[in-house]
Amino acid sequence: MNSLIEISNVSFSYDGKINVLENINLNIEENSYYGIYGHSGSGKSTLLFLIGNLLNPDLGKIEYRFSNIKKNTGFVFQFFNLINELTILENAKLAQYIRNKKENLKEIKQFAEILGISELLNKFPTELSGGEKQRASILRAVVGNVKIILADEPTGSLDMKNKIIVFKLFRDLIKFNKTVIVVSHEKELMDFCDNKILLEDGKIKGES
Ligand SMILES: Nc1ncnc2c1ncn2[C@@H]1O[C@H](COP(=O)(O)OP(=O)(O)OP(=O)(O)O)[C@@H](O)[C@H]1O
């Protein structure tokens, strides 16, 4: 499989004193499903933000095998971050517009069907359950022909049934030429991922 992102000897500190991440080496491959897990404060979100180019390493480097990281990256957050004044369809169209300056209704309908929310496209986020909202925010993250989905504790506010639905849906996205990296403190959910990365005190303690 082709390498998509190569992380070499990366260290990061918020305050210039204490390293939150230390000497991280990781190769992210195309069309793969990664789970990053570890205790609270181990550096999971920080690593995700570095991968998504929202933060820059203090030491080491992150090399991307594609151009325009921002346009090719969709984020999913614990609390959805949908725009409540827009319908789910409008949220998705806006994401496409921001990424590519154009709408693609066919793409939205295709992923809405995979995510099981075709019937919800004309609803507003406030009319949806938590599980439905998260599937809508995955729709918003995936449209616009992105390469990578970065999900930070996407199931933190969902019940177990919906946690499993979301983790299984990420797997379905891989078939559409997407790479998914999901952060969670829930080790048991990592079994849905193909590659598990354990972070402890800012260091990779295991990969499987
Ligand atoms: N913006 C920030 N400024 C300063 N310190 C921060 C900032 N964000 C995180 N930290 C610190 O960096 C460390 C790692 O935080 P991070 O959020 O990456 O961990 P995490 O594993 O995702 O934790 P959680 O599971 O609780 O979300 C923690 O000690 C945290 O307090």
Side-chain angles (χ1 to χ4, degrees), residues 51-204:
I51 293 171
N53 201 225
L54 300 179
L55 295 171
N56 293 308
D58 293 327
L59 289 175
K61 60 182 175 184
I62 304 183
E63 289 173 286
Y64 300 88
R65 306 276 179 244
F66 54 93
S67 56
N68 211 326
I69 305 146
K70 292 239 159 29
K71 279 189 185 173
N72 276 301
T73 310
F75 275 91
V76 180
F77 300 99
Q78 179 173 355
F79 295 110
F80 325 120
N81 294 20
L82 291 160
I83 299 173
N84 283 334
E85 291 72 22
L86 300 180
T87 64
I88 302 310
L89 179 62
E90 289 164 345
N91 268 278
K93 280 184 177 175
L94 181 63
Q96 284 179 326
Y97 190 78
I98 289 169
R99 287 175 189 136
N100 296 325
K101 296 268 179 293
K102 59 178 180 227
E103 293 176 11
N104 179 350
L105 194 57
K106 193 169 160 233
E107 185 194 38
I108 294 176
K109 286 189 170 169
Q110 180 192 28
F111 283 112
E113 196 179 329
I114 291 159
L115 294 163
I117 54 170
S118 301
E119 308 304 316
L120 304 177
L121 286 177
N122 291 318
K123 294 206 182 256
F124 290 89
T126 48
E127 298 176 285
L128 270 48
S129 71
E132 290 169 344
K133 268 189 227 175
Q134 198 53 299
R135 282 183 278 148
S137 77
I138 295 169
L139 175 67
R140 189 255 327 261
V142 77
V143 294
N145 208 19
V146 304
K147 284 190 188 301
I148 307 170
I149 315 286
L150 299 173
D152 193 7
E153 292 286 355
T155 58
S157 58
L158 304 181
D159 60 20
M160 190 43 81
K161 181 172 153 250
N162 278 295
K163 284 180 203 286
I164 292 170
I165 289 173
V166 166
F167 269 79
K168 282 185 174 169
L169 282 170
F170 282 137
R171 164 163 305 288
D172 294 338
L173 299 183
I174 307 300
K175 298 169 201 147
F176 293 87
N177 202 21
K178 312 292 175 198
T179 291
V180 176
I181 308 176
V182 55
V183 156
S184 175
H185 64 277
E186 294 178 90
K187 185 172 181 289
E188 58 275 25
L189 293 170
M190 291 295 121
D191 289 338
F192 292 98
C193 307
D194 293 327
N195 309 279
K196 306 171 206 175
I197 297 150
L198 170 62
L199 266 190
E200 250 178 55
D201 294 332
K203 298 185 193 78
I204 293 181

Side-chain angles (χ1 to χ4, degrees), residues 14 20 39-46 153:
Y14 285 101
V20 168
H39 292 302
S40 179
S42 56
K44 305 182 294 296
S45 300
T46 305
E153 292 286 355

Side-chain angles (χ1 to χ4, degrees), residues 26-39:
L26 201 56
N27 185 28
I28 305 290
E29 291 180 343
E30 237 173 16
N31 309 340
S32 305
Y33 187 6
Y34 292 84
I36 302 174
Y37 69 108
H39 292 302

